[in-house]
Amino acid sequence: MADVARLETPLCSERFGSGAARGCRATPDGSLQWEAEERRWWRFSAFTVKPRGRDGDGEGSPGAALLPLSGLQAVFLPQGFPDSVSPDYLPYQIWDSVQAFASSLSGSLATQAVLLGIGVGNAKASVSAATATWLVKDSTGMLGRIIFAWWKGSKLDCNAKQWRLFADILNDLAMFLEIMAPIYPICFTMTVSTSNLAKCIVSVAGGATRAALTVHQARRNNMADVSAKDSSQETLVNLAGLLVSLLMLPLVSDCPSLSLGCFFLLTTIHIYANYRAVRALVIEILNESRLKLVLKHFLQKGEVLDPTSTNQMEPLWTGFWPSLSLSLGVPLHRLISSVFELQQLVEGHQEPYLLCWNQSRNQVQVVLSQMAGSETILRAATHGLVLGALQEDGPLPKELEELRNRVQAGAEKDSWVIVRETHQVLNKLFPKFLEGLQAAGWKTDKHQLEVDEWRATWLLSPEKKFL
């Protein structure tokens, strides 16, 4: 009986990632029998292991017989998948692969058009003219890349979804210009130069936002692995697109209308797949759009939306033009020109930021203290959005409803009075709001708000008055 019990009792156990553990039992002949584990499409393993001899022959060693990862997963998915990446990784990558495949086919059509336009296959074409066209095209794109990175580089993190979608739509527009370029030979150089300029902007915006999304997806300090496997997936998709292009191009090359029809079909698939890809993302860090949605729901219903619901509601097409102009980290000298204005601005501000509200322009400008941290910046942005809510419709808490009535009736001409009173309201509301954010799963120790580098210090206190 003791021997039977010993055989039925697991000698050891193991598990892969967060999967279920499986035990190992001894068999009567002295070998080890591993329990069968639950099979998932991304997992494969062998179960029976023979004993390893003392002479080190290595026969039946667990390391050789146990294959916790299938070959495809090891090549194309990050180590530890799915536990090492964010929950939205798989749906995003699937749709991203679909859009990359459609883009690869569209790119083949565009490349064929450009080669036709520079004279490939035309005996009368000049090599020097084709070279000059190519150099002008490339130099225009290089300058555009530098200028766009300087102009918008610091803003790409804040709205990664919107810029990712923008980049892919701009890429489709660039390929459309390339396809149309041979139809108007007199404007060929200008057309392909404009197209390459757009593609270089796509390269900056797409690459930067992809890096931001990699930071979001990597959950075990494995950014390099996630990025490398994304590159492998993209390479595989492009290879498949290349093979399909070899079959497609001979069929459409002699019929411009068919080629253009294929391009529009592929472009439609490309834009739709891109939309589904960015919509699948669930980012747990607040930017201005997500903060506005969460705050509006909190003010109306007293509840904080979770990241999944908020990301589904986040605007992707209109995220670049918010109704309220909120500027964080503005220079102090932009807001004041006298001691009285400084005293008026400081009065009522207990937090390490100063806020100026222009009602007519619906513009909020915030000066941040040297001591302002992530929570302070989050409160300052919340404060600004609350002021914006006073000029909109919809239910509000009683304290804010009274302030909105005064603002909309024009009874309060001085905005700084409303700012001071909203400070007092936020002293009660913001701690509850912050606690609700953390309970709902938002990461409040970070933010993706657009903040400039200006910081200030001020010596005046609300009690101090000038003579």
Side-chain angles (χ1 to χ4, degrees):
M1 293 294 294
D3 292 339
V4 174
R6 180 173 60 83
L7 292 176
E8 294 180 352
T9 303
L11 299 177
C12 53
S13 65
E14 66 177 8
R15 68 184 179 95
F16 180 79
S18 61
R22 61 173 188 155
C24 176
R25 292 179 173 83
T27 61
D29 63 355
S31 63
L32 297 178
Q33 180 69 44
W34 289 92
E35 295 176 351
E37 63 177 337
E38 179 184 356
R39 288 176 178 247
R40 293 180 287 183
W41 70 268
W42 61 80
R43 299 276 295 277
F44 173 78
S45 60
F47 303 116
T48 303
V49 183
K50 294 183 178 180
R52 180 186 179 95
R54 291 192 178 187
D55 57 356
D57 59 3
E59 181 183 0
S61 64
L66 185 62
L67 301 175
L69 292 176
S70 69
L72 287 177
Q73 179 180 347
V75 174
F76 295 108
L77 295 175
Q79 181 179 354
F81 173 87
D83 306 300
S84 61
V85 292
S86 59
D88 57 15
Y89 177 85
L90 189 60
Y92 174 83
Q93 293 300 125
I94 290 175
W95 285 109
D96 188 56
S97 298
V98 173
Q99 69 86 18
F101 181 74
S103 181
S104 177
L105 297 181
S106 299
S108 299
L109 295 172
T111 301
Q112 182 190 44
V114 171
L115 293 177
L116 179 65
I118 64 175
V120 174
N122 185 356
K124 298 181 180 180
S126 169
V127 174
S128 59
T131 303
T133 299
W134 208 267
L135 292 176
V136 171
K137 175 179 75 72
D138 285 352
S139 60
T140 302
M142 292 175 186
L143 290 175
R145 184 193 300 266
I146 294 172
I147 293 173
F148 182 77
W150 160 76
W151 181 37
K152 292 294 184 179
S154 61
K155 299 176 174 60
L156 299 178
D157 283 297
C158 304
N159 295 293
K161 293 182 184 181
Q162 288 83 353
W163 282 111
R164 183 74 176 175
L165 198 58
F166 165 82
D168 284 295
I169 293 175
L170 185 60
N171 189 51
D172 289 330
L173 178 60
M175 289 189 289
F176 175 72
L177 291 176
E178 289 179 341
I179 289 178
M180 299 300 292
I183 300 177
Y184 305 99
I186 193 172
C187 301
F188 180 81
T189 301
M190 182 179 68
T191 303
V192 295
S193 297
T194 304
S195 171
N196 199 56
L197 172 63
K199 283 191 171 183
C200 287
I201 293 175
V202 169
S203 176
V204 175
T209 52
R210 177 62 237 184
L213 296 180
T214 300
V215 174
H216 159 69
Q217 292 176 333
R219 296 301 168 95
R220 289 186 180 173
N221 197 26
N222 57 339
M223 285 179 52
D225 187 26
V226 173
S227 179
K229 297 305 168 57
D230 177 71
S231 178
S232 296
Q233 296 168 25
E234 185 175 1
T235 301
L236 178 65
V237 171
N238 288 336
L239 178 60
L242 177 62
L243 296 176
V244 175
S245 296
L246 292 175
L247 301 175
M248 178 185 69
L249 291 179
L251 301 176
V252 302
S253 58
D254 295 331
C255 183
S257 59
L258 181 58
S259 177
L260 197 59
C262 289
F263 173 77
F264 284 129
L265 174 62
L266 292 169
T267 298
T268 302
I269 297 173
H270 180 241
I271 293 176
Y272 175 74
N274 266 292
Y275 175 81
R276 291 296 302 269
V278 295
R279 185 57 82 189
L281 291 168
V282 180
I283 300 177
E284 304 95 342
I285 302 176
L286 290 165
N287 64 359
E288 185 175 338
S289 297
R290 292 189 284 273
L291 177 59
K292 183 176 182 180
L293 287 170
V294 175
L295 180 63
K296 182 178 181 180
H297 189 83
F298 176 77
L299 293 178
Q300 291 180 351
K301 299 184 179 181
E303 302 173 350
V304 175
L305 287 172
D306 61 87
T308 301
S309 301
T310 306
N311 278 266
Q312 289 297 315
M313 298 165 58
E314 182 180 4
L316 298 178
W317 306 105
T318 60
F320 296 113
W321 303 281
S323 56
L324 172 71
S325 176
L326 176 63
S327 302
L328 301 170
V330 301
L332 183 59
H333 69 263
R334 183 186 298 177
L335 306 183
I336 59 173
S337 59
S338 67
V339 174
F340 174 75
E341 290 180 353
L342 176 60
Q343 180 184 0
Q344 193 177 63
L345 187 65
V346 171
E347 186 175 359
H349 284 75
Q350 302 291 340
E351 298 293 326
Y353 67 87
L354 303 177
L355 190 146
C356 179
W357 181 35
N358 188 319
Q359 295 186 46
S360 60
R361 297 180 180 179
N362 201 18
Q363 180 184 52
V364 174
Q365 299 181 86
V366 180
V367 178
L368 296 174
S369 167
Q370 297 280 7
M371 301 179 294
S374 179
E375 186 175 319
T376 298
I377 294 174
L378 188 60
R379 170 170 171 141
T382 302
H383 194 168
L385 293 175
V386 165
L387 291 172
L390 297 181
Q391 294 186 318
E392 299 175 356
D393 298 327
L396 290 175
K398 180 180 178 180
E399 304 91 331
L400 292 176
E401 186 69 41
E402 295 175 355
L403 290 177
R404 180 169 63 182
N405 293 336
R406 289 165 53 188
V407 169
Q408 295 183 349
E412 200 60 71
K413 300 294 184 182
D414 295 325
S415 297
W416 65 271
V417 176
I418 300 296
V419 171
R420 183 177 60 190
E421 295 189 19
T422 51
H423 258 298
Q424 299 173 0
V425 174
L426 278 178
N427 288 337
K428 300 177 181 178
L429 287 181
F430 185 73
K432 298 178 182 178
F433 181 56
L434 184 62
E435 183 179 353
L437 289 174
Q438 296 168 347
W442 293 99
K443 298 179 180 178
T444 57
D445 57 332
K446 303 175 184 177
H447 65 80
Q448 290 180 346
L449 298 165
E450 186 179 339
V451 183
D452 208 345
E453 294 301 313
W454 287 95
R455 297 295 183 271
T457 58
W458 48 90
L459 300 177
L460 295 177
S461 64
E463 294 78 21
K464 184 173 181 179
K465 304 294 181 182
F466 282 90
L467 299 176

